[in-house]
Amino acid sequence: MEHVQIDIDDLSGAQIRRFLAGHLSDMRAQGPPESTHALDLDGLRGPGVTVWAARDDDGTLLGCGALSELAAGSVPEHPAAEIKSMRAAERARGRGVGAAVLTRLLDAARGRGHRAVYLETGAGEYWAPARRLYERFGFTVCPPFADYPVDPLSVHYRRLV
């Protein structure tokens, strides 16, 4: 994997906006609206959400991920966060970008004093690489959390930090 710089992104650049629009479009194409839980740009700019972007030495976007603070009472452990918008650029897949972003998110969650990190991802084959990554990092399947409904098209994960 080439050198990757992972920094908080303010979502003002055209490259990250296009990248996230593509992510949202891909997620919506994978299933019905009630099973699509990806945040749009406004959601990612919301209070309690921080987005990190991974870029190579020339500034090309390789991937991103976000942490969203979970409300008190929405999960047994508090404070806790949810991982959102994990995505590697197609040209960067299989090269460790996702692992690098996930490591940064877990480090940030730990540094912010979170006790646990949660996430929701798809149950279909499209999301199998993501599920393998999360499981490799010690995430375990859990019941739906926060306001997620039971959905056979979703898999929910939890990891203590």
Side-chain angles (χ1 to χ4, degrees), residues 22 24 31-33 43 61 64 69 80 82 89 103 108 111 125 130 132-133 159:
L24 192 57
L61 186 63
C64 66
E69 306 290 324
E82 178 181 3
T103 297
E125 187 58 32
R132 285 191 296 273
L133 173 69
R159 181 184 189 267

Side-chain angles (χ1 to χ4, degrees), residues 78-128:
H78 197 267
E82 178 181 3
I83 292 176
K84 300 294 290 181
S85 300
M86 276 288 296
R87 176 102 172 165
E90 194 166 325
R91 74 175 192 84
R93 292 182 185 157
R95 295 167 48 197
V97 171
V101 171
L102 187 54
T103 297
R104 177 58 55 91
L105 295 176
L106 292 172
D107 288 346
R110 194 175 302 107
R112 293 174 178 192
H114 293 299
R115 296 176 56 204
V117 175
Y118 287 78
L119 65 91
E120 178 277 336
T121 193
E125 187 58 32
Y126 179 86
W127 292 278

Side-chain angles (χ1 to χ4, degrees), residues 29-41:
Q30 296 303 314
E34 64 273 12
S35 294
T36 302
H37 305 288
L39 294 176
D40 62 13
L41 215 53

